[in-house]
Amino acid sequence: MPNAHSFLFELMPIAFNNTNQLCSFILAETLCRLGLTCAVICPGSRSTPLALAFAKVSYNIDAISILDERSAAFFALGVAKATKRPVVLICSSGTAGANFYPAVIEARESRVPLLILTADRPQELRNCHSGQTIDQLKLYGNYPNWQTELALPSSDMQMLAYLRQTVIHAWEKSLISVPGPVHLNIPFRDPLAPIPDANIQVEFEEEEFFSGITTFSPIPQSRIPIPQEWLQSQRGIIIAGVAQVQQPKEYCSAIAQLSQTLKFPVLAEGLSPVRNYADLNPYLISTYDLILRNENLSQQLAPEIVIQIGELPTSKQLRTWLITTQPKRWIIDPSDQNLDPLHGKTIHLRVSIEQLTQGVEEWGRGRVGEGGTRGQGGQVGIITTSSSPSSPYLQLWCDAEAQVRSNVDKTMVTMNELVESKAAWLLSQILPPGTPLFIANSMPVRDVEFFWKPNNLGVRSHFNRGANGIDGTLSTALGIAHRRQSSVMLSGDLSLLHDTNGFLIRNKFVGHLTIVLINNNGGGIFEMLPIAEFDPPFEEFFATPQDIDFAQLCATYGVEHELITSWEKLQQNLNPLPSKGIRVLELRTNRKTDAKWRQENLPKFAE
Ligand SMILES: Cc1ncc(C[n+]2csc(CCOP(=O)(O)OP(=O)(O)O)c2C)c(N)n1
Ligand SMILES: [Mg+2]
């Protein structure tokens, strides 16, 4: 439990002559004792008491100053994604807080805890053109898990207790039942700087006031009985959807256990940790999108039962197949959210996969067909967890995977030209073990889904698939990489250009980020759409080439840049990774020929 250090005690006589400072100190110290480790602070005057308190409350808080609020908010999102802990985000009054908005949305949609503290003018200075004052109440609409305005700072002991307890509640609300953003709007009267207020002198017993603050215990989840249909079906599949989990190995083991017990294949999205712990999972299917492009196979593989873990993969091919075949679907996810964009007859089982598989040993009772007997009223069967498939359906999946995987690998190995899709395939095999990787939206996530090869490198993939924005890409990646193992980001040119203010974080950033930049001078994704045939207006209004010289751009920020002209060169640069700084490795590609390559080749792998 962090304690206020001596530095604070030196400040105490000043701080506690000033109500704003006292209250901001209580706010910061309470969060610190709850486990806060990072606060991102944007410059401004109204937020002065908060900035001082968070910058000085404790050496245990990493206080980071970032100029651009949009970038700051995505950076905080990245830190919170990687640590799974709430990160505090502070700004001044006015439009500053509005710039947090896209990251607040992403935090909500991808279930990331953020604590947003927007400073505000007091009531009497609102609605009267007092300057830099907007309506900040409910600024983020329905996106926050919880939002409120704090009372004006007061040195009354009852009010200090109110503040302490409200802050504890805010912390909890950012974490349960589903992690997400919480917004506290905080009014301050002058004086904002730590100078004495008139008549304020507070006697404050710090240790007594903060004693007993502990992190809450999560709401216990009840055990859910396993549907009998799972045990009885020979045509079931598991879909491991997009997921960013704190304990990837445990998560993957639980899925593997379910798969081996039921003898169901696991269709794992490129953004699922399952692909990076391949040895755990003998029935792993990574090429489902390519397999399902084969009409014949997609019919033969029609499932009876689907167990979807978390959110559905991006693949349109997979989604269309599920709509056509209409299997009975279960969705395993602890949240209270609707995770069925296909609007099937789905049953949500509101537990985590780890919890669901806790009693897995008992499920063998009733499993038909591989050494067990169909149990009645708890009669015992024996579960087998051997890795040789026993049902013809499972065998068909595994054979298709082996064949398509081999076709993909043969194509990629012999490809010397800089075709975009190869970057995802190559990265899956060459990154140092455990590398944090941020995958930008647009074609990078899609190439990862198509081509990320199963491996045992334990790469930690992150992404903003909550709202699929191309905004905040660089800042999120820097947040993920900050104070962690050397990291990599895979991004298109427009996504990087949308967030170049992220480079302003370079002097605060601790660690290393390599940006693998696929520069196809525009939005390659739009080349895949029917609108590409209509030029004009295609180039000007959809592809939007920006003609940026990235070497010069990088030079402006003091960021290293290298033009990569061969796959060997890329490979050499990615392992080992440097330990410090930001670096761009630019691959120049051609979006028109790349779109054509995908259109021609994606259907070929499973022919
Ligand atoms: C904030 C935001 N604005 C616009 C879009 C629409 N959009 C999706 S992909 C894309 C182009 C991305 O281009 P780039 O990053 O170069 O990747 P590429 O398509 O070339 O792979 C755009 C504008 C979006 N997803 N998010
Ligand atoms: Mg592009």
Side-chain angles (χ1 to χ4, degrees):
M1 195 62 63
N3 276 323
H5 51 75
S6 55
F7 181 61
L8 243 186
F9 288 109
E10 286 162 27
L11 281 179
M12 262 164 68
I14 307 169
F16 304 142
N17 281 336
N18 175 299
T19 317
N20 288 337
Q21 215 47 58
L22 168 62
C23 290
S24 300
F25 161 69
I26 287 173
L27 201 163
E29 182 64 25
T30 303
L31 289 173
C32 184
R33 287 172 188 248
L34 285 165
L36 181 78
T37 54
C38 181
V40 177
I41 304 171
C42 303
S45 167
R46 194 55 48 177
S47 46
T48 300
L50 293 172
L52 292 184
F54 279 89
K56 290 179 178 167
V57 68
S58 156
Y59 290 125
N60 293 322
I61 292 185
D62 183 12
I64 304 162
S65 167
I66 298 180
L67 170 64
D68 173 349
E69 287 83 7
R70 186 175 78 171
S71 168
F74 276 108
F75 181 84
L77 179 89
V79 174
K81 262 179 199 284
T83 59
K84 305 283 171 200
R85 276 168 193 256
V87 173
V88 156
L89 198 49
I90 294 170
C91 71
S92 187
S93 66
T95 54
N99 286 285
F100 289 162
Y101 214 136
V104 171
I105 295 173
E106 181 59 31
R108 164 71 179 210
E109 299 296 333
S110 58
R111 313 188 220 175
V112 176
L114 281 185
L115 269 174
I116 297 135
L117 312 181
T118 52
D120 203 348
R121 293 197 175 227
Q123 279 284 350
E124 66 274 15
L125 291 178
R126 298 182 195 168
N127 303 304
C128 57
H129 290 255
S130 65
Q132 210 179 311
T133 312
I134 64 164
D135 184 0
Q136 296 183 187
L137 302 183
K138 301 221 162 108
L139 183 59
Y140 309 109
N142 291 327
Y143 287 104
N145 279 2
W146 186 58
Q147 52 187 323
T148 193
E149 174 161 59
L150 294 185
L152 270 168
S154 153
S155 55
D156 177 87
M157 271 322 273
Q158 272 297 321
M159 291 303 284
L160 298 183
Y162 143 83
L163 176 62
R164 178 187 57 196
Q165 198 261 338
T166 306
V167 169
I168 296 171
H169 184 62
W171 175 269
E172 279 199 34
K173 290 295 278 183
S174 75
L175 286 165
I176 56 171
S177 56
V178 181
V182 163
H183 176 206
L184 301 181
N185 194 53
I186 310 180
F188 290 108
R189 286 195 175 125
D190 290 358
L192 300 170
I195 50 180
D197 286 356
N199 306 323
I200 299 293
Q201 192 64 50
V202 179
E203 293 276 318
F204 190 72
E205 281 296 330
E206 189 189 326
E207 278 314 311
E208 189 193 304
F209 185 83
F210 290 114
S211 67
I213 292 181
T214 50
T215 44
F216 62 94
S217 30
I219 302 167
Q221 290 174 359
S222 50
R223 281 276 285 277
I224 290 186
I226 298 309
Q228 279 301 304
E229 288 132 293
W230 293 10
L231 300 165
Q232 285 156 6
S233 176
Q234 300 283 331
R235 296 185 70 85
I237 61 168
I238 296 167
I239 297 178
V242 296
Q244 310 173 81
V245 296
Q246 187 66 352
Q247 310 282 352
K249 199 163 176 204
E250 285 71 9
Y251 174 85
C252 296
S253 299
I255 292 175
Q257 204 175 16
L258 183 66
S259 157
Q260 279 169 276
T261 304
L262 298 174
K263 302 280 182 192
F264 287 2
V266 181
L267 280 58
E269 147 78 75
L271 302 178
S272 164
V274 169
R275 285 216 206 168
N276 301 321
Y277 290 85
D279 275 356
L280 293 175
N281 217 314
Y283 311 140
L284 175 55
I285 311 294
S286 61
T287 58
Y288 55 86
D289 181 283
L290 307 173
I291 292 172
L292 295 176
R293 285 168 198 259
N294 177 321
E295 262 306 297
N296 202 4
L297 275 175
S298 91
Q299 278 172 21
Q300 286 181 57
L301 291 169
E304 236 166 45
I305 281 182
V306 171
I307 305 170
Q308 172 187 329
I309 299 160
E311 294 179 37
L312 264 187
T314 308
S315 166
K316 205 169 158 190
Q317 216 66 38
L318 178 75
R319 292 178 180 217
T320 310
W321 178 68
L322 291 175
I323 292 170
T324 315
T325 55
Q326 287 293 317
K328 192 159 180 189
R329 278 160 66 217
W330 280 264
I331 297 177
I332 317 298
D333 190 86
S335 80
D336 59 356
Q337 297 174 347
N338 176 5
L339 295 182
D340 183 14
L342 310 182
H343 307 304
K345 287 189 180 167
T346 35
I347 303 161
H348 278 83
L349 299 183
R350 310 255 178 221
V351 284
S352 67
I353 184 64
E354 293 89 336
Q355 276 175 316
L356 187 85
T357 50
Q358 257 168 26
V360 78
E361 301 79 27
E362 290 158 32
W363 301 2
R365 302 161 195 265
R367 186 81 181 94
V368 187
E370 70 274 352
T373 52
R374 189 191 295 266
Q376 283 187 353
Q379 302 259 311
V380 181
I382 303 158
I383 50 165
T384 53
T385 52
S386 76
S387 57
S388 61
S390 53
S391 85
Y393 179 72
L394 177 58
Q395 188 69 56
L396 190 59
W397 268 113
C398 292
D399 291 348
E401 166 74 9
Q403 185 61 56
V404 176
R405 170 56 50 206
S406 144
N407 294 347
V408 169
D409 290 351
K410 270 190 221 146
T411 304
M412 293 297 185
V413 166
T414 52
M415 182 195 288
N416 292 323
E417 319 82 79
L418 293 187
V419 169
E420 287 174 17
S421 300
K422 183 165 174 177
W425 178 83
L426 194 63
L427 255 60
S428 68
Q429 297 155 78
I430 59 170
L431 292 179
T435 299
L437 171 70
F438 185 77
I439 302 155
N441 283 316
S442 206
M443 288 320 292
V445 279
R446 288 174 175 80
D447 277 335
V448 163
E449 186 174 23
F450 300 144
F451 297 116
W452 190 264
K453 188 174 174 175
N455 63 79
N456 294 298
L457 296 174
V459 170
R460 305 286 298 252
S461 296
H462 298 275
F463 37 84
N464 282 341
R465 288 306 277 170
N468 300 357
I470 60 159
D471 43 358
T473 302
L474 173 59
S475 303
T476 311
L478 285 170
I480 286 163
H482 183 61
R483 295 193 185 278
R484 251 163 296 278
Q485 187 181 338
S486 295
S487 304
V488 172
M489 157 171 144
L490 176 65
S491 174
D493 51 315
L494 297 189
S495 303
L496 181 62
L497 289 171
H498 204 287
D499 189 35
T500 46
N501 268 4
F503 283 127
L504 295 174
I505 304 170
R506 70 204 185 285
N507 294 332
K508 311 284 172 195
F509 170 65
V510 180
H512 174 80
L513 179 71
T514 284
I515 298 161
V516 177
L517 169 65
I518 308 288
N519 181 11
N520 56 16
N521 200 20
I525 193 168
F526 300 122
E527 298 282 355
M528 314 285 290
L529 302 178
I531 191 68
E533 303 299 320
F534 299 86
D535 188 29
F538 181 74
E539 277 295 307
E540 186 178 355
F541 292 98
F542 293 87
T544 60
Q546 303 294 317
D547 301 314
I548 289 295
D549 181 334
F550 281 93
Q552 277 183 27
L553 180 104
C554 290
T556 301
Y557 293 96
V559 162
E560 207 185 308
H561 171 274
E562 190 173 334
L563 187 65
I564 299 292
T565 49
S566 74
W567 296 116
E568 291 70 37
K569 197 83 195 130
L570 182 66
Q571 182 158 355
Q572 281 161 18
N573 273 289
L574 289 178
N575 198 346
L577 290 163
S579 58
K580 278 201 292 212
I582 306 175
R583 178 179 64 156
V584 171
L585 303 179
E586 178 185 355
L587 283 89
R588 292 203 188 132
T589 60
N590 181 314
R591 62 184 141 83
K592 291 211 185 289
T593 53
D594 272 304
K596 195 155 170 277
W597 185 88
R598 287 191 196 91
Q599 264 145 10
E600 284 174 3
N601 285 277
L602 290 176
K604 273 195 192 157
F605 293 113
E607 258 173 13

